Amino acid sequence: MTKFLLSLHVLAAIVAVGPVTVAASMFPAAARRVPAAAPVGGGGGGGDAAGAGADAGDVRTVRLLHRICRVYAGLGIAVPVLGFATAASMGVLGDAWLIVSVTLTAVAAGLLAAFVLPRQEELLEQLADGQPVERARTVRLAMFTGLFNLLWATVTILMIVRPGSTTGA
């Protein structure tokens, strides 16, 4: 049963957390590429039709990246749930490496919920209104996203190395 739970835990981490880390990393640069006053719905009227389509496509890309982050963050709940079930099955719930991993996971989830997703939404609202996005805002978002990704990389390393664990390699 432990191997089955561990397999589900790892698959959930790959399938749920992986897309969030990639899409969140792509979001700031994609938001910067949207030209000011890009129409949200493709706008009607005159002007260069090819240019308007590209602008609307840029906004759609940013919106898609945010949706990926939001949806897969929700699916990511399966990772700690399966992780706790696996740890209980292995009898390692009190091990230091696991406690540190759980703490870092909670910090990463908090960072995503409190700083990354809300800032993405704010930038999307600006883009939907055709307002230019300040580079400083996308840089801050990239910083929070980088911290989120660094926390997940650290958790992944702890899960593989498990310092002090008698169950690891």
Side-chain angles (χ1 to χ4, degrees), residues 17 20-21 108-109 111-112 116 144-152:
V17 179
V20 176
T21 60
L111 193 62
L112 183 66
V116 175
F144 288 123
T145 300
L147 288 172
F148 171 78
N149 292 344
L150 180 62
L151 287 167
W152 274 113

Side-chain angles (χ1 to χ4, degrees), residues 37-49 51-53 55-57 60:
V40 173
D48 182 8
D55 294 348
R60 282 192 304 267

Side-chain angles (χ1 to χ4, degrees), residues 48-124:
D48 182 8
D55 294 348
D58 291 341
V59 174
R60 282 192 304 267
T61 298
V62 175
R63 188 173 288 123
L64 174 64
L65 291 170
H66 176 63
R67 188 176 323 125
I68 289 169
C69 291
R70 213 181 48 235
V71 169
Y72 283 91
L75 295 174
I77 288 295
V79 177
V81 168
L82 290 165
F84 277 117
T86 303
S89 176
M90 294 171 68
V92 296
L93 282 173
D95 286 8
W97 63 269
L98 184 69
I99 294 167
V100 171
S101 293
V102 168
T103 302
L104 294 177
T105 298
V107 171
L111 193 62
L112 183 66
F115 294 98
V116 175
L117 293 175
R119 281 177 170 71
Q120 285 182 351
E121 289 169 9
E122 290 169 5
L123 290 173
L124 265 174

Side-chain angles (χ1 to χ4, degrees), residues 97 101 153-169:
W97 63 269
S101 293
T154 304
V155 169
T156 301
I157 291 167
L158 283 171
M159 290 290 151
I160 294 167
V161 175
R162 299 183 280 186
S165 173
T166 58
T167 61

